[in-house]
Amino acid sequence: MDRSQLLRGTLEAAVLAVVAEQDGYGYDVLRRLRASGLQDVGDASVYGTLRRLYKGGALMSYVMPSDEGPHRRYYGITDRGREQLCDARDTWADFNRAMSTLLETELEVTA
Amino acid sequence: MNGTTLERPDVAAYVDAVRSRLADLPAEERDDLVADVEASLLESGETPKLPPQEFAAELREAAGLDPAAPASVEGSPLDSLRAWVSSERVASWRATAGELAPIWWLARAYVAVVLLAVASNQGWPIGADQQYNEVSLEMSVFALLIAAGFSIWLGLRGRREARSHRRLAVAANAVLALALLPVAAFSLAQLDYGHLGSSAVYVEPVPGLVLDGAPIRNMYPYTRDGTPLFDVLLYDETGRPLDVLTGPDDMSRRILDTVNGTQLFNSFPIRYFEAGTTTVARPELAPPITVPKLVTPPLEVGLR
């Protein structure tokens, strides 16, 4: 199964979940996604998704100075983002249930 | 690892290449996207494995932006210009220019200081146009150091932060760049004129014999045992008679003549007649000296 295709459809929910847990800036969000097991998530996809969610009103942003480099743009979740995350959880639960049923049935047949 | 693009020219080049691929976006949108990318790359300490154009394409797609329009062959001149600005060649030039930017920061500091000094009638180096003040190289160097520090600070700030006054910065840099050649020519001309060669103002040469800048009025030769000598003829290393230039108009001076009647002005010490007479009242007069104890070196020193 092509993980990149799976990621493409679920990255938005994953980013919302990470930011809902704690505000974060681009590289911080990327690092936390990878630490959660999404090792192959792409930098550009994460930064672009953050930007799209921000423009869509699901995230808000603020800039914090950094002693060691450029200012960091932090993202935090908004009420709209929380609703979107709730919807995504429901959708994923349904999808997961359906897929699990399908794949487990297939396994039993094969066995 | 954190840092700045000044410390990581590879990141600066990568970010510039990505920015060029987003050239069609509104400036604010592009700057926000690129600022996130730049900060993240600097913190991660590595550039992405994707080539800049693929990175930019992925960024666009994830951000829900339209893919970059392919360069139109029959587009307007403005389209052609945009395509050229977005090209990899220009991105490469911009990356190189970014690496060389610190040199420009120093050059613009010099140009700004010279322009300010000339505009305030100080001239360059500072004080060159002031009739009664000396040229102050120290002041000039100090002004340059201050300006260089400020210029570098501005440059680093521009790289580190969002370009809030980008247009103003571009305009100021353009003015200084235009002034660069005239200022360089002016500085070279000043160098030829001698302002930069020495910290001293031009001093009219003092005629005659001079010691530490003060004219010598007389000279008193002595033998090694302290006996004063009189009417000694003195010459320089080329055989020219030494002359303290009191001149023939000094009527009280006792002047030696040759048998041909030629006056000699290089006989020392000069002795003077008493006023209204032709008599030297104290011909043996000489300044008191302390005779040093001498050790006579051999005239030929052999190596053994």
Side-chain angles (χ1 to χ4, degrees):
Chain A
M1 190 177 292
D2 188 349
R3 282 175 61 92
S4 65
Q5 292 298 324
L6 278 175
L7 265 177
R8 193 184 292 266
T10 53
L11 185 57
E12 192 173 292
V15 168
L16 279 174
V18 164
V19 178
E21 188 182 46
Q22 188 181 350
D23 292 2
Y25 54 93
Y27 184 62
D28 174 53
V29 172
L30 175 70
R31 201 165 37 195
R32 283 155 62 193
L33 284 169
R34 286 180 174 164
S36 302
L38 302 179
Q39 300 286 354
D40 40 3
V41 69
D43 320 30
S45 296
V46 173
Y47 306 142
T49 300
L50 281 168
R51 193 72 196 157
R52 180 155 51 86
L53 289 169
Y54 168 72
K55 284 175 69 181
L59 298 179
M60 49 91 173
S61 82
Y62 52 95
V63 174
M64 295 278 282
S66 164
D67 293 338
E68 302 169 62
H71 293 341
R72 289 170 175 159
R73 182 187 299 278
Y74 277 74
Y75 294 93
I77 196 161
T78 61
D79 289 343
R80 182 184 293 185
R82 284 199 181 84
E83 287 172 18
Q84 216 168 307
L85 181 58
C86 255
D87 290 346
R89 279 197 182 111
D90 293 344
T91 306
W92 177 254
D94 289 345
F95 184 76
N96 185 33
R97 203 177 304 119
M99 285 301 293
S100 297
T101 305
L102 281 170
L103 293 177
E104 281 163 16
T105 305
E106 181 67 19
L107 278 175
E108 282 169 14
V109 170
T110 308
Chain B
M1 188 184 84
N2 273 359
T4 66
T5 47
L6 182 64
E7 295 157 4
R8 294 294 309 272
D10 56 329
V11 169
Y14 191 91
V15 168
D16 277 347
V18 170
R19 181 184 284 116
S20 74
R21 295 280 167 180
L22 305 173
D24 57 311
L25 298 179
E28 189 181 355
E29 175 88 52
R30 182 179 61 240
D31 287 347
D32 283 349
L33 268 173
V34 171
D36 275 357
V37 172
E38 184 177 20
S40 301
L41 295 187
L42 284 172
E43 181 165 355
S44 71
E46 56 190 26
T47 51
K49 294 180 181 66
L50 288 179
Q53 60 269 30
E54 287 182 31
F55 187 95
E58 192 176 317
L59 195 61
R60 277 174 179 277
E61 187 185 350
L65 301 166
D66 292 334
S72 168
V73 178
E74 296 177 0
S76 67
L78 192 60
D79 291 336
S80 304
L81 182 64
R82 278 201 187 117
W84 181 75
V85 167
S86 307
S87 68
E88 285 189 18
R89 176 180 294 181
V90 174
S92 152
W93 291 347
R94 290 176 63 172
T96 306
E99 290 177 36
L100 297 177
I103 297 174
W104 165 241
W105 297 344
L106 294 178
R108 72 182 177 187
Y110 179 80
V111 172
V113 168
V114 173
L115 288 178
L116 279 176
V118 172
S120 58
N121 292 324
Q122 288 292 323
W124 185 256
I126 290 173
D129 286 355
Q130 298 292 302
Q131 191 174 355
Y132 300 110
N133 290 344
E134 290 190 357
V135 170
S136 172
L137 277 190
E138 294 80 5
M139 193 67 188
S140 306
V141 170
F142 180 70
L144 282 178
L145 287 176
I146 295 289
F150 184 62
S151 176
I152 290 171
W153 176 78
L154 277 180
L156 290 175
R157 185 167 168 266
R159 282 186 169 179
R160 200 176 284 178
E161 296 181 4
R163 292 146 174 84
S164 52
H165 302 292
R166 190 181 178 88
R167 286 183 183 169
L168 181 64
V170 168
N173 276 303
V175 168
L176 292 174
L178 285 173
L180 181 61
L181 277 180
V183 165
F186 172 75
S187 297
L188 285 175
Q190 292 292 87
L191 195 63
D192 285 344
Y193 189 65
H195 280 311
L196 298 178
S198 162
S199 62
V201 289
Y202 176 74
V203 176
E204 191 72 30
V206 178
L209 295 177
V210 173
L211 180 64
D212 294 337
I216 295 172
R217 302 292 179 203
N218 209 339
M219 287 190 287
Y220 295 87
Y222 291 81
T223 62
R224 59 178 293 155
D225 59 1
T227 305
L229 300 174
F230 299 95
D231 294 339
V232 175
L233 300 181
L234 295 180
Y235 298 85
D236 72 3
E237 69 281 1
T238 63
R240 288 183 305 172
L242 293 182
D243 187 352
V244 295
L245 296 182
T246 58
D249 296 334
D250 186 358
M251 301 305 292
S252 62
R253 177 175 174 174
R254 173 180 168 272
I255 300 171
L256 267 61
D257 294 328
T258 66
V259 291
N260 299 326
T262 307
Q263 292 183 315
L264 295 178
F265 294 98
N266 63 328
S267 68
F268 294 95
I270 299 169
R271 287 179 282 184
Y272 292 90
F273 301 125
E274 288 298 299
T277 71
T278 54
T279 304
V280 176
R282 298 173 62 190
E284 306 298 321
L285 186 66
I289 60 165
T290 303
V291 180
K293 291 182 180 176
L294 301 178
V295 176
T296 306
L299 292 174
E300 183 178 356
V301 180
L303 294 173
R304 300 189 178 190

